[in-house]
C-alpha cells in the first residue's frame, strides 16, 4: 500500500476542503448592506478570506465591527446549507489518505462550531477532525501559532507535518511554523500571489494534490519555476 508523504496533514477549510467562497462573499455583502447600507464587490470580500472574521471587520470599521460580525454570523449560519458547495474529489482524497495511514486535521480561522457545520455541509465531517479553530489561539494566520498549537495538541514536531491551503496567509503561516506549505488554486487565492509566498508546490486539481500527498509523484506539479 502507498504510504503518505507526511504522516500528519493539516488542511485549511474555506476554499481548500469546502467551497465556502460564495457563502462567505454573500455573508460579507449582506452584513455591509444591513449595517452600513453599503454594497461591496466580490473582489473586496474575497480579500478578507482566511483572516479571523472579527479582526478583519474591526479593522474595516472600528465602531461597527461587532455589529458587522454578528450580522455576518447570523446570516452565514442560516444560509450555510443552501450556499456551501462540495469540491469534486475531496471526499475521495481524504478517504485515500486515511486508508494510507495519514492523520488528517483542519486548522482554520473559523470558530469550531461553524467549521464543523461546514464540514458536515459537504459530507466530510466523518473523515477529518478540527485540530485548530479561532478560539484556540490569540494570534492567527499568517502567524504560525494556530499550526504550532495544533501540533502541540497532537504531540508532534511541526516540521514533520504539512499544511495545505488556498490563501497566502496559509503558506506564510506554514513557513513560519517550520512546516512545508502546499498551495491550491481552486479557492480564494490567485496563483501569482500564492507563488510569491514560496510554497513547496502549487496544485490546480485535487487529483494532483492527492497523488503528491500519497507518494510524492509529480513533485513539480504546479510549482513555481
Amino acid at each position: 500500500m502507498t504510504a503518505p508523504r507526511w504522516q500528519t496533514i493539516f488542511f485549511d477549510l474555506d476554499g481548500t476542503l469546502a467551497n465556502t467562497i460564495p457563502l462567505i462573499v454573500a455573508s460579507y455583502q449582506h452584513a455591509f448592506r444591513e449595517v452600513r447600507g453599503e454594497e461591496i464587490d466580490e473582489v473586496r470580500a474575497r480579500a478578507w478570506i482566511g483572516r479571523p472574521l472579527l479582526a478583519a471587520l474591526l479593522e474595516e470599521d472600528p465602531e461597527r465591527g461587532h455589529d458587522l460580525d454578528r450580522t455576518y454570523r447570523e446570516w452565514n449560519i442560516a444560509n450555510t446549507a443552501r450556499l456551501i458547495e462540495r469540491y469534486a474529489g475531496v471526499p475521495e482524497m481524504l478517504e485515500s489518505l486515511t486508508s494510507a495511514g495519514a492523520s488528517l486535521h483542519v486548522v482554520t480561522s473559523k470558530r469550531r462550531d461553524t467549521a464543523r457545520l461546514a464540514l458536515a455541509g459537504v459530507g466530510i465531517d466523518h473523515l477529518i477532525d478540527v485540530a485548530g479553530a479561532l478560539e484556540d489561539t490569540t494570534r492567527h494566520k499568517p502567524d504560525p501559532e494556530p499550526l504550532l498549537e495544533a501540533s502541540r495538541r497532537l504531540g508532534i514536531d511541526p516540521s514533520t507535518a504539512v499544511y495545505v491551503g488556498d490563501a497566502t496567509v496559509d503558506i506564510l503561516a506554514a513557513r513560519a511554523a517550520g512546516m512545508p506549505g502546499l498551495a491550491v488554486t481552486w479557492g480564494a487565492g490567485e496563483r501569482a500571489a500564492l507563488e510569491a509566498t514560496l510554497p513547496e508546490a502549487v496544485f490546480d486539481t485535487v487529483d494532483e494534490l492527492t497523488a503528491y500527498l500519497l507518494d510524492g509523484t509529480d513533485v513539480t506539479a504546479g510549482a513555481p519555476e
Side-chain angles (χ1 to χ4, degrees):
M1 178 180 292
T2 301
R5 189 175 175 89
W6 288 274
Q7 185 64 37
T8 302
I9 305 173
F10 293 123
F11 288 92
D12 171 56
L13 175 53
D14 293 320
T16 301
L17 292 180
N19 186 8
T20 56
I21 308 302
L23 171 65
I24 292 172
V25 169
S27 298
Y28 275 123
Q29 290 173 331
H30 172 80
F32 275 77
R33 190 179 300 120
E34 289 294 309
V35 175
R36 300 196 350 173
E38 178 184 356
E39 295 294 331
I40 61 172
D41 62 28
E42 181 175 349
V43 172
R44 185 177 173 193
R46 287 170 71 102
W48 293 316
I49 295 175
R51 298 180 56 196
L53 176 64
L54 181 58
L57 292 173
L58 284 172
E59 182 178 295
E60 187 70 22
D61 190 332
E63 294 184 359
R64 290 174 290 183
H66 286 281
D67 291 335
L68 287 165
D69 177 76
R70 183 182 65 255
T71 304
Y72 175 108
R73 292 188 186 280
E74 291 174 351
W75 196 90
N76 183 276
I77 291 173
N79 290 274
T80 292
R82 180 174 67 89
L83 293 178
I84 197 169
E85 299 174 2
R86 177 181 293 184
Y87 285 127
V90 165
E92 292 80 4
M93 174 183 68
L94 299 180
E95 289 171 351
S96 296
L97 291 170
T98 299
S99 296
S103 177
L104 311 180
H105 311 275
V106 167
V107 176
T108 177
S109 294
K110 282 183 175 296
R111 295 179 186 273
R112 182 166 271 98
D113 57 348
T114 53
R116 287 175 172 157
L117 181 66
L119 291 172
V122 292
I124 58 175
D125 53 314
H126 64 296
L127 297 172
I128 192 167
D129 76 326
V130 180
L134 178 71
E135 57 266 41
D136 295 332
T137 60
T138 57
R139 295 190 297 273
H140 305 283
K141 299 181 294 186
D143 191 278
E145 186 175 352
L147 290 170
L148 295 176
E149 174 63 16
S151 297
R152 186 194 65 77
R153 292 185 176 198
L154 295 176
I156 65 165
D157 183 334
S159 66
T160 66
V162 65
Y163 191 41
V164 182
D166 70 305
T168 57
V169 293
D170 299 325
I171 308 306
L172 292 171
R175 292 185 61 198
M179 67 177 64
L182 303 181
V184 301
T185 61
W186 54 77
E190 298 292 335
R191 171 176 274 277
L194 290 168
E195 289 178 344
T197 63
L198 303 179
E200 175 162 305
V202 183
F203 299 93
D204 296 316
T205 71
V206 175
D207 286 344
E208 289 176 351
L209 174 63
T210 303
Y212 187 72
L213 289 172
L214 280 175
D215 59 15
T217 57
D218 298 326
V219 174
T220 59
E225 297 180 356

